[in-house]
């Protein structure tokens, strides 16, 4: 099996450099917004999004030219090889644009068995997470294992929430309130930073009802290799096989440490309206 970890590490080094190069050029340390996406006013892009995405795709073209690519900004490119790369050039772009350090870049490889390898970098915090199926997970080159917990009591939980129509935001508020009633407190950066803190063990879990495949594939891979779990709101494992067919799906997800998944999934099941799916198709 190809060892993807050195390649991921080198590409994410370059992502860090590009994020730093484009950061802080606007008033008050903010970053100039290139575009507000017309289909979703929550979604913005900056020059860093485009530069990092272009760099990663170019590296894939050079080193793995037959592989398929799903890139948040430019879409899907189908190749002839067995692996698909899922790229989020900047997760937490609104944070980055506002001058917050809570953002990151991430990419994941998927084959016919599911998640294969992944890398996450938090440039402003100097953190790097790498994982490959069967080889474990690493933070800054050191093996990392997400500590198990015995439930939510006394633990922090992250909840990601996007601006949406009032009915959907009310559903989020109800679920977030239910989670808050069982844990120590709610935290939210609405970015990969929250998922990273689940991997580290600072948070027991992370819940988000509006993810896309590029938001969740890399954290799910690292968390799986670190001993945690990634599921839909009902607690069913996510299936990342055939990712090209899932580029347009909205994922409702729980990322959790061992021991936190079931209480979060129970709250997720209770929150689901009759007849409403709690996530994309699972295995």
């Amino acid at each position: 099996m190809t060892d993807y970890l050195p390649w991921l590490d080198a590409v994410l080094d370059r992502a860090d450099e590009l994020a730093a190069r484009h950061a802080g050029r606007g008033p008050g340390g903010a970053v100039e917004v290139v575009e507000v996406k017309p289909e979703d006013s929550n979604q913005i892009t900056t020059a860093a999004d485009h530069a990092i995405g272009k760099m990663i795709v170019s590296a894939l073209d050079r080193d793995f030219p037959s592989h398929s690519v799903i890139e948040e900004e430019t879409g899907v490119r189908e190749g002839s090889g067995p692996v698909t790369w899922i790229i989020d050039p900047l997760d937490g772009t609104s944070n980055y644009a506002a001058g917050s350090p809570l953002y990151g870049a991430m990419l994941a490889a998927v084959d016919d068995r599911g998640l294969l390898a992944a890398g996450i970098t938090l440039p402003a915090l100097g953190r790097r997470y790498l994982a490959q199926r069967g080889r474990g997970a690493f933070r800054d080159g050191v093996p990392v294992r997400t500590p198990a917990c015995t439930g939510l009591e006394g633990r922090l939980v992250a909840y990601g929430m996007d601006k949406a129509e009032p009915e959907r935001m009310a559903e989020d508020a109800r679920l977030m309130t239910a989670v808050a009633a069982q844990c120590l407190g709610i935290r939210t950066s609405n970015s990969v930073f929250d998922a990273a803190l689940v991997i580290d063990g600072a948070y027991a879990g992370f819940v988000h009802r509006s993810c896309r495949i590029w938001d969740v594939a890399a954290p799910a891979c690292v968390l799986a290799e670190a001993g945690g779990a990634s599921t839909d709101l009902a607690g069913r494992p996510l299936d990342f096989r055939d990712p090209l067919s899932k580029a347009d799906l909205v994922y409702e997800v729980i990322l959790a440490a061992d021991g936190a998944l079931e209480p979060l999934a129970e709250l997720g099941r209770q929150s689901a309206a009759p007849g409403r799916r709690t996530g994309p198709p699972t295995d």
Side-chain angles (χ1 to χ4, degrees):
M1 180 184 294
T2 302
D3 181 1
Y4 290 106
L5 300 185
W7 185 90
L8 284 163
D9 205 24
V11 166
L12 292 176
D13 279 345
R14 182 64 176 147
D16 285 357
E17 294 169 5
L18 289 170
R21 180 184 303 173
H22 290 281
R25 293 183 175 181
V31 177
E32 182 179 358
V33 174
V34 173
E35 177 189 10
V36 178
K37 297 182 181 179
E39 67 276 12
D40 184 354
S41 61
N42 290 302
Q43 301 297 318
I44 65 172
T45 60
T46 69
D49 293 81
H50 294 288
I52 293 170
K54 182 178 179 180
M55 177 274 297
I56 295 174
V57 171
S58 295
L60 289 169
D61 287 344
R62 180 191 67 229
D63 298 324
F64 307 110
S66 69
H67 292 185
S68 299
V69 174
I70 300 173
E71 200 268 322
E72 180 182 7
E73 306 304 333
T74 57
V76 173
R77 187 194 69 196
E78 186 170 1
S80 60
V83 175
T84 298
W85 290 88
I86 303 166
I87 304 165
D88 191 342
L90 272 185
D91 189 78
T93 301
S94 295
N95 296 346
Y96 174 79
S100 165
L102 305 184
Y103 65 87
M106 50 186 173
L107 65 161
V110 178
D111 63 11
D112 60 0
R113 293 173 55 192
L115 294 167
L116 172 60
I120 298 169
T121 190
L122 305 181
L125 303 178
R127 296 186 192 176
R128 177 73 51 80
Y129 302 82
L130 302 173
Q132 185 160 336
R133 186 169 60 216
R135 298 189 180 185
F138 303 85
R139 174 181 163 178
D140 301 330
V142 178
V144 62
R145 192 76 181 170
T146 300
C149 56
T150 56
L152 303 181
E153 186 176 357
R155 299 297 306 276
L156 297 173
V157 175
Y159 196 104
M161 180 176 176
D162 292 321
K163 185 177 180 180
E165 62 275 13
E167 180 180 350
R168 184 168 182 84
M169 293 183 70
E171 291 178 359
D172 265 314
R174 285 192 293 270
L175 178 53
M176 184 166 56
T177 299
V179 174
Q182 293 198 20
C183 70
L184 178 63
I186 296 291
R187 300 292 183 268
T188 180
S189 77
N190 205 31
S191 76
V192 65
F193 173 80
D194 292 332
L197 263 63
V198 178
I199 297 166
D200 288 345
Y203 296 166
F206 174 42
V207 180
H208 203 301
R209 297 177 57 240
S210 300
C211 290
R212 302 294 290 274
I213 194 168
W214 47 78
D215 298 314
V216 70
C221 181
V222 177
L223 188 59
E225 289 297 316
S230 303
T231 73
D232 68 7
L233 285 192
R236 299 171 298 197
L238 299 175
D239 181 9
F240 291 97
R241 294 173 299 178
D242 191 19
L244 295 179
S245 70
K246 297 171 180 173
D248 293 327
L249 290 177
V250 175
Y251 285 71
E252 297 184 324
V253 303
I254 297 171
L255 308 180
D258 183 25
L261 174 60
E262 184 49 38
L264 288 172
E266 178 58 29
L267 294 171
R269 289 189 289 267
Q270 292 173 8
S271 75
R276 181 174 71 79
R277 291 193 60 86
T278 57
T282 56
D283 186 10

